Amino acid sequence: MREILDIQKQLLPDLMDVMKKRYSILQHILVSGVVGRRTLASSLDMTERVLRGEVDFLKEQGLLETDASGMKISESGRRLLEAMEPIIKMAFGLTDLEESIRKAFQISQVIVVPGDSDTSTFAKKELGRAGAAALRKYVSKDDIIAVTGGSTMAQIANNLAISSKMKGSWFVPARGGLGESVDMQANTIASIMAKKTGGKYRLLHVPDHLGEEAYQSLIQDPQIQEVVNAVRSCRIVVHGIGDAMVMARRRKVDAETTRTLQADGALAEAFGYYFDRQGNVVHKMPTVGLRLEDLQRVEVVIGVAGGKSKGEAIASVLRHGQEDVLVTDEAAALEIMKHV
């Protein structure tokens, strides 16, 4: 396949450009669900006149459907996109990027989507779609799946659907989350994932981080202990990765701890643990839920994070060595490779 693409690039460079353009149009519509022409043209940085011609062609091929509400992908278009994905990834150079990161950090699979989640809503949605696809690939019947909070995890939840594989599965929050936006909390995301897939869920109604005395008190509660035991016996974990200082602000970490994090070189946060450039844990918050040591016996750990600004943070978490699968975007992947 690579040889054929190389020949096409040399002999028919215009054909490659047209293929990429039409793939991008179809992919944007797939991720958007239903979208109007003006909104799509703006997202693609394309004039409405040029887009109209491409949309007419794709519609004639039976790849798009249009009605008063806008454009949506047809079933034929959906199948074509699935078949084209490996070709497009190779054409964009994403396949090589995936393999470079996989080898550098010795993980099972790396999935890189086009774009930069920091600047593109589409890239963020595509990250969610790819994260949902990764979860579907690894899930098996009656699994316990622990999930963290955050906007990327919310996108993954939005891309799940009724699944016979997931119907018997339990979705649980990896940790507490009261105190931040409700729709971004792990509890909310676990419940949405369960409802979308036909699975079941348990909630953990405790703050995201606690003082030692409050932690010791809560962990003795029988109902909380029951949910915590379920969380710590999960087979799959799906989690986000955050920039350390951004997450410290979001978690309302006190000024003294924030200064300590900065002094210790904290770059990344995951599960309430803060990591430095070498992947060492430099600080941990007392949380009720999944602990770092629990990950050692979890069968599949899926990290999903993107955006150029998070590249170095993602690299530091990968260096810690607990990840099995990484789903990221092109901008983050290029930054990750600068820190290998």
Side-chain angles (χ1 to χ4, degrees), residues 188-231:
T188 305
I189 289 165
S191 67
I192 291 172
M193 287 181 168
K195 290 167 186 173
K196 288 262 192 179
T197 60
K200 296 167 281 189
Y201 65 93
R202 298 292 301 274
L203 301 182
L204 192 56
H205 293 297
V206 294
D208 186 50
H209 58 269
L210 306 159
E212 188 61 32
E213 189 176 335
Y215 173 82
Q216 292 300 336
S217 174
L218 277 171
I219 204 69
Q220 302 302 321
D221 183 277
Q223 288 185 318
I224 290 175
Q225 190 64 57
E226 186 182 348
V227 180
V228 169
N229 287 341
V231 171

mmCIF file of all heavy atoms in Angstrom, residues 188-231:
data_model
loop_
_atom_site.group_PDB
_atom_site.id
_atom_site.type_symbol
_atom_site.label_atom_id
_atom_site.label_comp_id
_atom_site.label_asym_id
_atom_site.label_seq_id
_atom_site.Cartn_x
_atom_site.Cartn_y
_atom_site.Cartn_z
ATOM 1 N N THR A 188 -20.771 11.383 36.346
ATOM 2 C CA THR A 188 -21.669 11.690 35.234
ATOM 3 C C THR A 188 -21.277 10.923 33.991
ATOM 4 O O THR A 188 -22.124 10.338 33.296
ATOM 5 C CB THR A 188 -21.642 13.213 34.937
ATOM 6 O OG1 THR A 188 -21.952 13.926 36.119
ATOM 7 C CG2 THR A 188 -22.638 13.567 33.840
ATOM 8 N N ILE A 189 -19.987 10.894 33.698
ATOM 9 C CA ILE A 189 -19.507 10.223 32.487
ATOM 10 C C ILE A 189 -19.741 8.715 32.567
ATOM 11 O O ILE A 189 -20.155 8.084 31.584
ATOM 12 C CB ILE A 189 -18.025 10.573 32.251
ATOM 13 C CG1 ILE A 189 -17.931 12.049 31.816
ATOM 14 C CG2 ILE A 189 -17.393 9.667 31.203
ATOM 15 C CD1 ILE A 189 -16.570 12.651 31.881
ATOM 16 N N ALA A 190 -19.520 8.120 33.741
ATOM 17 C CA ALA A 190 -19.792 6.681 33.912
ATOM 18 C C ALA A 190 -21.263 6.372 33.670
ATOM 19 O O ALA A 190 -21.600 5.382 33.000
ATOM 20 C CB ALA A 190 -19.375 6.232 35.309
ATOM 21 N N SER A 191 -22.153 7.220 34.180
ATOM 22 C CA SER A 191 -23.588 6.971 34.008
ATOM 23 C C SER A 191 -24.011 7.143 32.555
ATOM 24 O O SER A 191 -24.819 6.359 32.033
ATOM 25 C CB SER A 191 -24.407 7.887 34.921
ATOM 26 O OG SER A 191 -24.285 9.236 34.542
ATOM 27 N N ILE A 192 -23.452 8.148 31.859
ATOM 28 C CA ILE A 192 -23.783 8.350 30.436
ATOM 29 C C ILE A 192 -23.292 7.169 29.599
ATOM 30 O O ILE A 192 -24.005 6.673 28.725
ATOM 31 C CB ILE A 192 -23.176 9.666 29.918
ATOM 32 C CG1 ILE A 192 -23.876 10.865 30.568
ATOM 33 C CG2 ILE A 192 -23.291 9.759 28.399
ATOM 34 C CD1 ILE A 192 -23.218 12.197 30.273
ATOM 35 N N MET A 193 -22.071 6.716 29.877
ATOM 36 C CA MET A 193 -21.529 5.570 29.132
ATOM 37 C C MET A 193 -22.411 4.339 29.308
ATOM 38 O O MET A 193 -22.674 3.602 28.358
ATOM 39 C CB MET A 193 -20.095 5.276 29.582
ATOM 40 C CG MET A 193 -19.067 6.281 29.096
ATOM 41 S SD MET A 193 -17.390 5.846 29.638
ATOM 42 C CE MET A 193 -16.407 6.967 28.635
ATOM 43 N N ALA A 194 -22.868 4.103 30.536
ATOM 44 C CA ALA A 194 -23.733 2.950 30.808
ATOM 45 C C ALA A 194 -25.050 3.072 30.051
ATOM 46 O O ALA A 194 -25.519 2.110 29.424
ATOM 47 C CB ALA A 194 -23.978 2.826 32.307
ATOM 48 N N LYS A 195 -25.655 4.253 30.107
ATOM 49 C CA LYS A 195 -26.938 4.452 29.429
ATOM 50 C C LYS A 195 -26.799 4.342 27.919
ATOM 51 O O LYS A 195 -27.679 3.790 27.239
ATOM 52 C CB LYS A 195 -27.521 5.819 29.812
ATOM 53 C CG LYS A 195 -27.996 5.880 31.258
ATOM 54 C CD LYS A 195 -28.280 7.302 31.713
ATOM 55 C CE LYS A 195 -28.609 7.345 33.194
ATOM 56 N NZ LYS A 195 -28.736 8.729 33.707
ATOM 57 N N LYS A 196 -25.703 4.848 27.371
ATOM 58 C CA LYS A 196 -25.487 4.799 25.924
ATOM 59 C C LYS A 196 -25.282 3.377 25.416
ATOM 60 O O LYS A 196 -25.680 3.034 24.302
ATOM 61 C CB LYS A 196 -24.257 5.638 25.559
ATOM 62 C CG LYS A 196 -24.466 7.137 25.661
ATOM 63 C CD LYS A 196 -24.759 7.703 24.292
ATOM 64 C CE LYS A 196 -24.693 9.212 24.305
ATOM 65 N NZ LYS A 196 -24.944 9.773 22.963
ATOM 66 N N THR A 197 -24.634 2.544 26.224
ATOM 67 C CA THR A 197 -24.269 1.191 25.775
ATOM 68 C C THR A 197 -25.234 0.111 26.241
ATOM 69 O O THR A 197 -25.128 -1.037 25.817
ATOM 70 C CB THR A 197 -22.861 0.828 26.285
ATOM 71 O OG1 THR A 197 -22.855 0.880 27.715
ATOM 72 C CG2 THR A 197 -21.803 1.774 25.733
ATOM 73 N N GLY A 198 -26.150 0.474 27.155
ATOM 74 C CA GLY A 198 -27.031 -0.545 27.728
ATOM 75 C C GLY A 198 -26.390 -1.257 28.895
ATOM 76 O O GLY A 198 -26.863 -2.304 29.339
ATOM 77 N N GLY A 199 -25.298 -0.693 29.420
ATOM 78 C CA GLY A 199 -24.612 -1.289 30.562
ATOM 79 C C GLY A 199 -25.191 -0.795 31.885
ATOM 80 O O GLY A 199 -26.258 -0.194 31.941
ATOM 81 N N LYS A 200 -24.441 -1.028 32.967
ATOM 82 C CA LYS A 200 -24.864 -0.609 34.303
ATOM 83 C C LYS A 200 -23.778 0.282 34.910
ATOM 84 O O LYS A 200 -22.662 0.332 34.399
ATOM 85 C CB LYS A 200 -25.076 -1.855 35.189
ATOM 86 C CG LYS A 200 -26.214 -2.759 34.695
ATOM 87 C CD LYS A 200 -26.194 -4.116 35.373
ATOM 88 C CE LYS A 200 -25.141 -5.022 34.759
ATOM 89 N NZ LYS A 200 -25.225 -6.416 35.237
ATOM 90 N N TYR A 201 -24.130 0.981 35.987
ATOM 91 C CA TYR A 201 -23.130 1.862 36.595
ATOM 92 C C TYR A 201 -23.308 1.951 38.100
ATOM 93 O O TYR A 201 -24.373 1.683 38.639
ATOM 94 C CB TYR A 201 -23.185 3.261 35.975
ATOM 95 C CG TYR A 201 -24.480 4.023 36.222
ATOM 96 C CD1 TYR A 201 -24.601 4.895 37.306
ATOM 97 C CD2 TYR A 201 -25.576 3.881 35.366
ATOM 98 C CE1 TYR A 201 -25.770 5.601 37.539
ATOM 99 C CE2 TYR A 201 -26.755 4.586 35.582
ATOM 100 C CZ TYR A 201 -26.846 5.444 36.667
ATOM 101 O OH TYR A 201 -28.005 6.139 36.896
ATOM 102 N N ARG A 202 -22.217 2.290 38.771
ATOM 103 C CA ARG A 202 -22.211 2.617 40.198
ATOM 104 C C ARG A 202 -21.573 3.989 40.349
ATOM 105 O O ARG A 202 -20.664 4.343 39.593
ATOM 106 C CB ARG A 202 -21.383 1.578 40.984
ATOM 107 C CG ARG A 202 -21.913 0.156 40.922
ATOM 108 C CD ARG A 202 -23.246 -0.002 41.646
ATOM 109 N NE ARG A 202 -23.176 0.347 43.058
ATOM 110 C CZ ARG A 202 -22.809 -0.504 44.026
ATOM 111 N NH1 ARG A 202 -22.456 -1.754 43.715
ATOM 112 N NH2 ARG A 202 -22.798 -0.120 45.292
ATOM 113 N N LEU A 203 -22.027 4.754 41.333
ATOM 114 C CA LEU A 203 -21.508 6.099 41.541
ATOM 115 C C LEU A 203 -20.720 6.187 42.847
ATOM 116 O O LEU A 203 -20.951 5.416 43.777
ATOM 117 C CB LEU A 203 -22.653 7.112 41.563
ATOM 118 C CG LEU A 203 -23.515 7.167 40.295
ATOM 119 C CD1 LEU A 203 -24.586 8.238 40.430
ATOM 120 C CD2 LEU A 203 -22.672 7.398 39.058
ATOM 121 N N LEU A 204 -19.796 7.129 42.876
ATOM 122 C CA LEU A 204 -18.934 7.334 44.038
ATOM 123 C C LEU A 204 -19.124 8.783 44.490
ATOM 124 O O LEU A 204 -18.519 9.710 43.952
ATOM 125 C CB LEU A 204 -17.478 7.070 43.647
ATOM 126 C CG LEU A 204 -16.416 6.945 44.735
ATOM 127 C CD1 LEU A 204 -16.789 5.867 45.740
ATOM 128 C CD2 LEU A 204 -15.065 6.630 44.096
ATOM 129 N N HIS A 205 -20.005 8.982 45.474
ATOM 130 C CA HIS A 205 -20.367 10.333 45.898
ATOM 131 C C HIS A 205 -19.424 10.853 46.984
ATOM 132 O O HIS A 205 -19.781 10.974 48.145
ATOM 133 C CB HIS A 205 -21.810 10.356 46.396
ATOM 134 C CG HIS A 205 -22.812 10.106 45.309
ATOM 135 N ND1 HIS A 205 -22.970 10.957 44.235
ATOM 136 C CD2 HIS A 205 -23.691 9.089 45.117
ATOM 137 C CE1 HIS A 205 -23.918 10.494 43.439
ATOM 138 N NE2 HIS A 205 -24.359 9.367 43.943
ATOM 139 N N VAL A 206 -18.199 11.136 46.569
ATOM 140 C CA VAL A 206 -17.205 11.687 47.495
ATOM 141 C C VAL A 206 -16.402 12.758 46.763
ATOM 142 O O VAL A 206 -16.312 12.750 45.540
ATOM 143 C CB VAL A 206 -16.239 10.595 48.024
ATOM 144 C CG1 VAL A 206 -16.974 9.586 48.877
ATOM 145 C CG2 VAL A 206 -15.524 9.911 46.881
ATOM 146 N N PRO A 207 -15.801 13.690 47.510
ATOM 147 C CA PRO A 207 -14.988 14.726 46.857
ATOM 148 C C PRO A 207 -13.791 14.131 46.134
ATOM 149 O O PRO A 207 -13.320 13.034 46.459
ATOM 150 C CB PRO A 207 -14.545 15.615 48.022
ATOM 151 C CG PRO A 207 -15.544 15.352 49.102
ATOM 152 C CD PRO A 207 -15.939 13.915 48.951
ATOM 153 N N ASP A 208 -13.281 14.895 45.170
ATOM 154 C CA ASP A 208 -12.164 14.446 44.351
ATOM 155 C C ASP A 208 -10.891 14.259 45.168
ATOM 156 O O ASP A 208 -10.133 13.340 44.939
ATOM 157 C CB ASP A 208 -11.941 15.460 43.232
ATOM 158 C CG ASP A 208 -10.908 15.003 42.249
ATOM 159 O OD1 ASP A 208 -11.031 13.866 41.793
ATOM 160 O OD2 ASP A 208 -9.979 15.770 41.953
ATOM 161 N N HIS A 209 -10.615 15.158 46.102
ATOM 162 C CA HIS A 209 -9.477 14.941 46.999
ATOM 163 C C HIS A 209 -9.853 15.422 48.397
ATOM 164 O O HIS A 209 -10.670 16.302 48.570
ATOM 165 C CB HIS A 209 -8.201 15.618 46.484
ATOM 166 C CG HIS A 209 -8.316 17.088 46.270
ATOM 167 N ND1 HIS A 209 -8.699 17.631 45.063
ATOM 168 C CD2 HIS A 209 -8.096 18.133 47.101
ATOM 169 C CE1 HIS A 209 -8.704 18.946 45.157
ATOM 170 N NE2 HIS A 209 -8.344 19.270 46.384
ATOM 171 N N LEU A 210 -9.252 14.806 49.354
ATOM 172 C CA LEU A 210 -9.685 14.962 50.748
ATOM 173 C C LEU A 210 -8.501 15.193 51.678
ATOM 174 O O LEU A 210 -7.369 14.845 51.357
ATOM 175 C CB LEU A 210 -10.383 13.668 51.212
ATOM 176 C CG LEU A 210 -11.549 13.140 50.373
ATOM 177 C CD1 LEU A 210 -11.737 11.668 50.656
ATOM 178 C CD2 LEU A 210 -12.808 13.901 50.723
ATOM 179 N N GLY A 211 -8.817 15.720 52.845
ATOM 180 C CA GLY A 211 -7.832 15.726 53.920
ATOM 181 C C GLY A 211 -7.696 14.311 54.463
ATOM 182 O O GLY A 211 -8.584 13.471 54.283
ATOM 183 N N GLU A 212 -6.586 14.041 55.145
ATOM 184 C CA GLU A 212 -6.309 12.680 55.610
ATOM 185 C C GLU A 212 -7.391 12.167 56.559
ATOM 186 O O GLU A 212 -7.830 11.010 56.470
ATOM 187 C CB GLU A 212 -4.935 12.643 56.301
ATOM 188 C CG GLU A 212 -4.467 11.243 56.661
ATOM 189 C CD GLU A 212 -4.297 10.315 55.462
ATOM 190 O OE1 GLU A 212 -3.950 10.816 54.367
ATOM 191 O OE2 GLU A 212 -4.533 9.092 55.615
ATOM 192 N N GLU A 213 -7.867 13.023 57.451
ATOM 193 C CA GLU A 213 -8.873 12.600 58.430
ATOM 194 C C GLU A 213 -10.189 12.242 57.729
ATOM 195 O O GLU A 213 -10.808 11.208 58.016
ATOM 196 C CB GLU A 213 -9.113 13.720 59.449
ATOM 197 C CG GLU A 213 -9.988 13.293 60.624
ATOM 198 C CD GLU A 213 -10.133 14.396 61.661
ATOM 199 O OE1 GLU A 213 -9.234 15.267 61.751
ATOM 200 O OE2 GLU A 213 -11.157 14.378 62.373
ATOM 201 N N ALA A 214 -10.615 13.108 56.800
ATOM 202 C CA ALA A 214 -11.852 12.848 56.050
ATOM 203 C C ALA A 214 -11.709 11.585 55.195
ATOM 204 O O ALA A 214 -12.646 10.789 55.076
ATOM 205 C CB ALA A 214 -12.182 14.044 55.167
ATOM 206 N N TYR A 215 -10.528 11.408 54.620
ATOM 207 C CA TYR A 215 -10.270 10.218 53.797
ATOM 208 C C TYR A 215 -10.428 8.941 54.624
ATOM 209 O O TYR A 215 -11.107 7.996 54.205
ATOM 210 C CB TYR A 215 -8.849 10.307 53.211
ATOM 211 C CG TYR A 215 -8.410 9.070 52.474
ATOM 212 C CD1 TYR A 215 -8.789 8.844 51.158
ATOM 213 C CD2 TYR A 215 -7.606 8.111 53.097
ATOM 214 C CE1 TYR A 215 -8.374 7.702 50.484
ATOM 215 C CE2 TYR A 215 -7.195 6.973 52.441
ATOM 216 C CZ TYR A 215 -7.579 6.774 51.123
ATOM 217 O OH TYR A 215 -7.185 5.645 50.464
ATOM 218 N N GLN A 216 -9.810 8.896 55.783
ATOM 219 C CA GLN A 216 -9.869 7.705 56.628
ATOM 220 C C GLN A 216 -11.293 7.418 57.101
ATOM 221 O O GLN A 216 -11.704 6.253 57.234
ATOM 222 C CB GLN A 216 -8.935 7.863 57.845
ATOM 223 C CG GLN A 216 -7.457 7.885 57.491
ATOM 224 C CD GLN A 216 -6.987 6.618 56.809
ATOM 225 O OE1 GLN A 216 -7.576 5.541 56.948
ATOM 226 N NE2 GLN A 216 -5.909 6.724 56.034
ATOM 227 N N SER A 217 -12.066 8.482 57.322
ATOM 228 C CA SER A 217 -13.450 8.315 57.747
ATOM 229 C C SER A 217 -14.318 7.753 56.627
ATOM 230 O O SER A 217 -15.074 6.789 56.827
ATOM 231 C CB SER A 217 -14.000 9.666 58.224
ATOM 232 O OG SER A 217 -15.385 9.557 58.520
ATOM 233 N N LEU A 218 -14.209 8.338 55.448
ATOM 234 C CA LEU A 218 -15.047 7.916 54.316
ATOM 235 C C LEU A 218 -14.738 6.497 53.860
ATOM 236 O O LEU A 218 -15.636 5.741 53.494
ATOM 237 C CB LEU A 218 -14.866 8.885 53.141
ATOM 238 C CG LEU A 218 -15.699 10.161 53.176
ATOM 239 C CD1 LEU A 218 -15.259 11.115 52.081
ATOM 240 C CD2 LEU A 218 -17.184 9.839 53.025
ATOM 241 N N ILE A 219 -13.459 6.138 53.882
ATOM 242 C CA ILE A 219 -13.057 4.836 53.357
ATOM 243 C C ILE A 219 -13.613 3.693 54.214
ATOM 244 O O ILE A 219 -13.655 2.534 53.770
ATOM 245 C CB ILE A 219 -11.511 4.744 53.235
ATOM 246 C CG1 ILE A 219 -11.104 3.700 52.182
ATOM 247 C CG2 ILE A 219 -10.874 4.451 54.560
ATOM 248 C CD1 ILE A 219 -11.427 4.077 50.775
ATOM 249 N N GLN A 220 -14.066 4.014 55.432
ATOM 250 C CA GLN A 220 -14.639 2.986 56.307
ATOM 251 C C GLN A 220 -16.134 2.777 56.058
ATOM 252 O O GLN A 220 -16.706 1.788 56.516
ATOM 253 C CB GLN A 220 -14.446 3.389 57.790
ATOM 254 C CG GLN A 220 -13.001 3.608 58.200
ATOM 255 C CD GLN A 220 -12.116 2.397 57.966
ATOM 256 O OE1 GLN A 220 -12.535 1.261 58.191
ATOM 257 N NE2 GLN A 220 -10.908 2.638 57.491
ATOM 258 N N ASP A 221 -16.774 3.704 55.344
ATOM 259 C CA ASP A 221 -18.208 3.587 55.080
ATOM 260 C C ASP A 221 -18.484 2.365 54.198
ATOM 261 O O ASP A 221 -17.882 2.224 53.127
ATOM 262 C CB ASP A 221 -18.701 4.854 54.371
ATOM 263 C CG ASP A 221 -20.196 4.815 54.132
ATOM 264 O OD1 ASP A 221 -20.610 4.198 53.113
ATOM 265 O OD2 ASP A 221 -20.950 5.387 54.927
ATOM 266 N N PRO A 222 -19.387 1.450 54.621
ATOM 267 C CA PRO A 222 -19.612 0.194 53.877
ATOM 268 C C PRO A 222 -20.054 0.412 52.426
ATOM 269 O O PRO A 222 -19.590 -0.304 51.531
ATOM 270 C CB PRO A 222 -20.711 -0.511 54.680
ATOM 271 C CG PRO A 222 -20.608 0.073 56.054
ATOM 272 C CD PRO A 222 -20.168 1.489 55.868
ATOM 273 N N GLN A 223 -20.940 1.397 52.178
ATOM 274 C CA GLN A 223 -21.411 1.626 50.815
ATOM 275 C C GLN A 223 -20.302 2.161 49.921
ATOM 276 O O GLN A 223 -20.142 1.724 48.779
ATOM 277 C CB GLN A 223 -22.585 2.603 50.828
ATOM 278 C CG GLN A 223 -23.878 1.995 51.382
ATOM 279 C CD GLN A 223 -25.051 2.951 51.278
ATOM 280 O OE1 GLN A 223 -24.916 4.145 51.557
ATOM 281 N NE2 GLN A 223 -26.197 2.439 50.881
ATOM 282 N N ILE A 224 -19.507 3.081 50.462
ATOM 283 C CA ILE A 224 -18.377 3.608 49.692
ATOM 284 C C ILE A 224 -17.342 2.519 49.466
ATOM 285 O O ILE A 224 -16.793 2.371 48.372
ATOM 286 C CB ILE A 224 -17.756 4.832 50.409
ATOM 287 C CG1 ILE A 224 -18.729 6.007 50.324
ATOM 288 C CG2 ILE A 224 -16.402 5.197 49.796
ATOM 289 C CD1 ILE A 224 -18.286 7.238 51.082
ATOM 290 N N GLN A 225 -17.108 1.708 50.502
ATOM 291 C CA GLN A 225 -16.136 0.622 50.385
ATOM 292 C C GLN A 225 -16.540 -0.363 49.285
ATOM 293 O O GLN A 225 -15.695 -0.859 48.524
ATOM 294 C CB GLN A 225 -16.015 -0.115 51.717
ATOM 295 C CG GLN A 225 -14.863 -1.118 51.764
ATOM 296 C CD GLN A 225 -13.507 -0.444 51.624
ATOM 297 O OE1 GLN A 225 -13.161 0.426 52.393
ATOM 298 N NE2 GLN A 225 -12.739 -0.844 50.622
ATOM 299 N N GLU A 226 -17.847 -0.619 49.155
ATOM 300 C CA GLU A 226 -18.341 -1.543 48.131
ATOM 301 C C GLU A 226 -18.040 -1.022 46.722
ATOM 302 O O GLU A 226 -17.588 -1.771 45.847
ATOM 303 C CB GLU A 226 -19.854 -1.722 48.298
ATOM 304 C CG GLU A 226 -20.453 -2.775 47.370
ATOM 305 C CD GLU A 226 -21.962 -2.886 47.522
ATOM 306 O OE1 GLU A 226 -22.521 -2.311 48.492
ATOM 307 O OE2 GLU A 226 -22.586 -3.524 46.666
ATOM 308 N N VAL A 227 -18.285 0.277 46.512
ATOM 309 C CA VAL A 227 -18.013 0.864 45.197
ATOM 310 C C VAL A 227 -16.508 0.918 44.935
ATOM 311 O O VAL A 227 -16.042 0.602 43.836
ATOM 312 C CB VAL A 227 -18.624 2.280 45.082
ATOM 313 C CG1 VAL A 227 -18.325 2.873 43.699
ATOM 314 C CG2 VAL A 227 -20.117 2.242 45.315
ATOM 315 N N VAL A 228 -15.732 1.289 45.958
ATOM 316 C CA VAL A 228 -14.276 1.358 45.811
ATOM 317 C C VAL A 228 -13.707 -0.010 45.447
ATOM 318 O O VAL A 228 -12.814 -0.130 44.587
ATOM 319 C CB VAL A 228 -13.618 1.904 47.096
ATOM 320 C CG1 VAL A 228 -12.099 1.713 47.045
ATOM 321 C CG2 VAL A 228 -13.954 3.374 47.278
ATOM 322 N N ASN A 229 -14.226 -1.065 46.064
ATOM 323 C CA ASN A 229 -13.771 -2.421 45.726
ATOM 324 C C ASN A 229 -14.054 -2.752 44.263
ATOM 325 O O ASN A 229 -13.240 -3.400 43.587
ATOM 326 C CB ASN A 229 -14.449 -3.448 46.639
ATOM 327 C CG ASN A 229 -13.904 -3.408 48.057
ATOM 328 O OD1 ASN A 229 -12.810 -2.897 48.296
ATOM 329 N ND2 ASN A 229 -14.671 -3.924 49.014
ATOM 330 N N ALA A 230 -15.228 -2.320 43.772
ATOM 331 C CA ALA A 230 -15.566 -2.541 42.360
ATOM 332 C C ALA A 230 -14.608 -1.775 41.456
ATOM 333 O O ALA A 230 -14.118 -2.308 40.454
ATOM 334 C CB ALA A 230 -17.010 -2.113 42.086
ATOM 335 N N VAL A 231 -14.326 -0.517 41.819
ATOM 336 C CA VAL A 231 -13.405 0.317 41.030
ATOM 337 C C VAL A 231 -12.032 -0.342 40.955
ATOM 338 O O VAL A 231 -11.429 -0.439 39.879
ATOM 339 C CB VAL A 231 -13.292 1.734 41.644
ATOM 340 C CG1 VAL A 231 -12.172 2.530 40.974
ATOM 341 C CG2 VAL A 231 -14.611 2.477 41.533
#
